[in-house]
């Protein structure tokens, strides 16, 4: 709960630019349990806390459930366009800032508002509407079987590098018309963009080159794939909008889905409530997905909204141009919406904010969940006796201020050879 002391604190009432000694945003994802960090920030500042994105670059971390709904639903106050961020104009954001891949203006629906957002989102919604879910379920299951077949005979694997990091991008690659080489290069590029490393900017350039090549090929020779659909869509004006729309769709289909697959596999293998399911226990894959989306969603902290005018949020003095980071994991655990104090007992409850909220809520929730469920079920079915190869407490996350995707999930299982139809 927000305390009056937090709201009335002189330090808390200072403008964001004047605050010092702030907690780095990366500290919320680098610890074993982010909820302890969020609880500390709530106690000090309330549901909206000042944080440091990089040295000298500050933002508000929105950790309250109702506050995130306010920020995501009020487009007239909070913009999605990074060009509205003061840091892009006042010289405080270095040219080589690692924030730029995630917080720079791009020509896709995620980064724009109002009528332009509706224009750019329509092609995405149209593409999602064409998905045959039954056919997709079969094709994803076949893909998962093929990927598992590449390592099933070894009796050991890394379920992130060998599986979760591969399945999502390959699941949509054929629909975009990418060949196998392009698909794997794209997967590597997208992973580097999210890895918070020095090569993030170069990785984005590589991704854009791959997509430019595919779009050029489809303009020359149209095909029945999503690239052709987007390249010909009247709402997308110019190649830049086509490329950036493809990036948005592929990022959603790859990075976020990969994280959800990995987190669900981790939960199924480490939590006795779910691990028991492999031996007839009471909780299954859908329950595990629900819990992951509440507790460890693909994005712990989502960039970003930018204040269009001076305002106040949960007692904090938000100034025009301030960046607002959406603390999705924190908001899902907001004690004001979990009066029992046990937010993880949410079987069947899908009121979490992991898909976002407002006009920018994820339009691909159904296909994303289908891919995750199919990938997890297939792995558990085709890897007999699968178990972690290291103690659960040794699992580590990929360093990033945005999420907590497991770096690796090493497992052992009974070696088995799978045929094309999944039989051994």
């Amino acid at each position: 709960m927000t305390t009056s002391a937090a709201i009335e604190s002189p330090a808390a009432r200072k403008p964001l630019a004047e605050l010092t000694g702030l907690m780095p945003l990366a500290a919320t994802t680098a610890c074993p349990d982010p909820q302890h960090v969020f609880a500390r920030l709530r106690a000090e500042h309330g549901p909206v806390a000042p944080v440091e994105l990089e040295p000298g670059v500050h933002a508000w971390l929105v950790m309250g459930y109702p506050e995130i709904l306010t920020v995501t639903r009020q487009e007239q106050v909070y913009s999605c366009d990074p060009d509205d961020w003061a840091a892009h104009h006042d010289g405080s954001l270095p040219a080589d800032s690692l924030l730029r891949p995630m917080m720079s203006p791009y020509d896709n629906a995620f980064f724009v508002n109002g009528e332009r957002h509706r224009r750019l989102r329509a092609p995405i919604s149209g593409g999602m509407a064409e998905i045959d879910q039954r056919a997709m379920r079969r094709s994803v299951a076949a893909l998962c079987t093929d990927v598992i077949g590449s390592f099933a005979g070894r009796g050991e694997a890394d379920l992130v590098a060998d599986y979760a990091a591969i399945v999502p991008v390959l699941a949509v690659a054929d629909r975009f018309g990418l060949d196998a080489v392009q698909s794997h290069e794209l997967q590597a590029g997208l992973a580097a963009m999210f890895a918070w490393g020095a090569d993030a900017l170069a990785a984005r350039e590589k991704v854009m080159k791959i997509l430019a090549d595919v779009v050029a090929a489809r303009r020359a020779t149209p095909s029945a794939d999503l690239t052709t659909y987007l390249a010909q869509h009247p709402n997308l004006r110019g190649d830049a909008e086509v490329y950036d729309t493809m990036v948005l769709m592929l990022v959603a289909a790859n990075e976020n889905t990969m994280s959800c697959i990995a987190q669900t596999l981790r939960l199924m293998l480490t939590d006795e409530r779910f691990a028991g399911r492999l031996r007839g226990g009471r909780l299954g894959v859908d329950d595990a997905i629900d819990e992951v989306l509440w507790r460890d969603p693909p994005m712990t902290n989502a960039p970003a909204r930018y204040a269009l005018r001076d305002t106040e949020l949960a007692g904090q003095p938000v100034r025009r141009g301030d960046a607002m980071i959406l603390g999705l994991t924190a908001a899902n655990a907001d004690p004001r919406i979990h009066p029992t104090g046990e937010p993880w007992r949410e079987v069947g409850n899908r009121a979490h904010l992991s898909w976002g909220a407002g006009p920018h809520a994820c339009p691909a929730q159904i296909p994303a969940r289908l891919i995750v469920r199919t990938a997890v079920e297939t792995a558990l079915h085709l890897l007999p006796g699968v178990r972690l190869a290291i103690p659960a407490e040794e699992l580590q996350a990929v360093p990033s201020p945005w999420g907590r995707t497991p770096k690796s999930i090493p497992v052992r299982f009974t070696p088995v050879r799978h045929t094309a139809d999944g039989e051994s």
Side-chain angles (χ1 to χ4, degrees), residues 253-336:
N254 180 62
E255 188 68 23
N256 293 342
T257 308
M258 180 270 286
S259 179
C260 197
I261 291 171
Q263 292 284 28
T264 305
L265 285 168
R266 176 195 58 78
L267 192 62
M268 294 293 294
L269 294 171
T270 61
D271 191 307
E272 62 182 10
R273 295 170 301 147
F274 298 97
R277 181 68 174 188
L278 305 180
R279 299 174 291 278
R282 65 183 180 89
L283 294 176
V285 172
D286 271 316
D287 302 319
I289 295 173
D290 286 340
E291 181 151 331
V292 163
L293 290 172
W294 275 102
R295 186 170 187 174
D296 281 304
M299 298 202 79
T300 303
N301 306 305
R305 298 295 191 274
Y306 310 92
L308 292 173
R309 60 176 172 79
D310 291 356
T311 185
E312 184 176 279
L313 186 67
Q316 298 289 18
V318 177
R319 299 290 183 257
R320 179 181 178 180
D322 282 358
M324 319 294 292
I325 304 300
L326 307 182
L328 303 180
T329 299
N332 284 347
D334 189 334
R336 293 172 296 177

Side-chain angles (χ1 to χ4, degrees), residues 133-134 136-138 140-141 144 148 163 167-168 256-265 268 277 284-290 292-293 350 355 365-381:
Q133 293 183 37
R134 291 184 179 180
M136 184 176 183
R137 169 71 174 81
R138 292 192 296 269
V140 173
C144 292
I148 289 172
Y163 190 62
V167 167
N256 293 342
T257 308
M258 180 270 286
S259 179
C260 197
I261 291 171
Q263 292 284 28
T264 305
L265 285 168
M268 294 293 294
R277 181 68 174 188
V285 172
D286 271 316
D287 302 319
I289 295 173
D290 286 340
V292 163
L293 290 172
R350 297 178 184 172
W355 302 117
Q365 299 177 30
I366 293 176
R369 190 178 181 104
L370 184 154
I371 293 172
V372 173
R373 183 194 309 116
T374 303
V376 174
E377 288 178 342
T378 304
L380 298 179
H381 175 65

Side-chain angles (χ1 to χ4, degrees), residues 28-340:
T28 67
T29 60
C31 56
D33 185 0
Q35 295 305 337
H36 290 301
V37 179
F38 296 138
R40 172 185 163 188
L41 287 171
R42 283 194 192 94
E44 294 178 358
H45 303 286
V48 177
V51 294
E52 184 177 71
L53 303 182
E54 288 182 339
V57 183
H58 300 167
W60 297 107
L61 177 61
V62 186
M63 302 180 292
Y65 191 102
E67 285 77 16
I68 282 187
L69 293 182
T70 295
V71 170
T72 55
R73 291 174 176 175
Q74 295 187 1
E75 288 188 297
Q76 73 278 14
V77 181
Y78 301 101
S79 167
C80 286
D81 188 348
D83 197 46
D84 293 316
W85 186 20
H88 277 299
H89 307 287
D90 64 12
S92 63
L93 189 69
D96 60 350
S97 169
L98 298 181
L99 296 168
R100 288 187 179 275
M102 298 290 286
M103 299 177 69
S104 290
Y106 299 118
D107 292 318
N108 68 45
F110 187 84
F111 294 97
V112 295
N113 313 292
E115 180 57 36
R116 190 177 181 208
H117 168 253
R118 290 186 285 275
R119 173 174 67 81
L120 293 175
R121 184 178 169 107
I124 300 173
S125 299
M128 296 300 100
E130 292 187 350
I131 293 176
D132 181 329
Q133 293 183 37
R134 291 184 179 180
M136 184 176 183
R137 169 71 174 81
R138 292 192 296 269
S139 65
V140 173
L143 167 64
C144 292
T145 299
D146 288 343
V147 174
I148 289 172
S150 69
F151 61 75
R154 302 201 309 254
E156 62 181 16
D158 175 357
L159 290 183
V160 176
D162 295 332
Y163 190 62
I166 296 174
V167 167
V169 69
L170 295 185
V172 297
D174 183 63
R175 185 163 178 77
F176 275 95
L178 277 68
D179 60 32
V181 172
Q182 291 170 324
S183 298
H184 287 285
E185 289 180 346
L186 184 69
Q187 185 275 322
L190 292 174
M193 284 175 59
F194 276 81
W196 197 243
D199 60 346
L201 294 174
R204 176 175 169 80
E205 293 180 2
K206 180 178 181 180
V207 167
M208 299 303 288
K209 175 64 167 59
I210 293 170
L211 299 184
D213 289 345
V214 176
V215 170
R218 291 302 173 273
R219 289 198 188 282
T221 307
S223 181
D225 57 35
L226 192 53
T227 299
T228 301
Y229 172 83
L230 295 176
Q232 296 178 346
H233 201 286
N235 280 27
L236 299 179
R237 302 168 184 171
D239 285 347
E241 290 189 350
V242 174
Y243 301 157
D244 282 322
T245 298
M246 291 176 70
V247 168
L248 175 60
M249 296 177 73
L250 286 162
V251 165
N254 180 62
E255 188 68 23
N256 293 342
T257 308
M258 180 270 286
S259 179
C260 197
I261 291 171
Q263 292 284 28
T264 305
L265 285 168
R266 176 195 58 78
L267 192 62
M268 294 293 294
L269 294 171
T270 61
D271 191 307
E272 62 182 10
R273 295 170 301 147
F274 298 97
R277 181 68 174 188
L278 305 180
R279 299 174 291 278
R282 65 183 180 89
L283 294 176
V285 172
D286 271 316
D287 302 319
I289 295 173
D290 286 340
E291 181 151 331
V292 163
L293 290 172
W294 275 102
R295 186 170 187 174
D296 281 304
M299 298 202 79
T300 303
N301 306 305
R305 298 295 191 274
Y306 310 92
L308 292 173
R309 60 176 172 79
D310 291 356
T311 185
E312 184 176 279
L313 186 67
Q316 298 289 18
V318 177
R319 299 290 183 257
R320 179 181 178 180
D322 282 358
M324 319 294 292
I325 304 300
L326 307 182
L328 303 180
T329 299
N332 284 347
D334 189 334
R336 293 172 296 177
I337 65 167
H338 296 290
T340 65

Side-chain angles (χ1 to χ4, degrees), residues 391-407:
E393 58 270 20
E394 293 183 13
L395 294 175
Q396 298 180 353
V398 176
S400 170
W402 310 120
R404 287 169 43 81
T405 301
K407 184 181 298 184

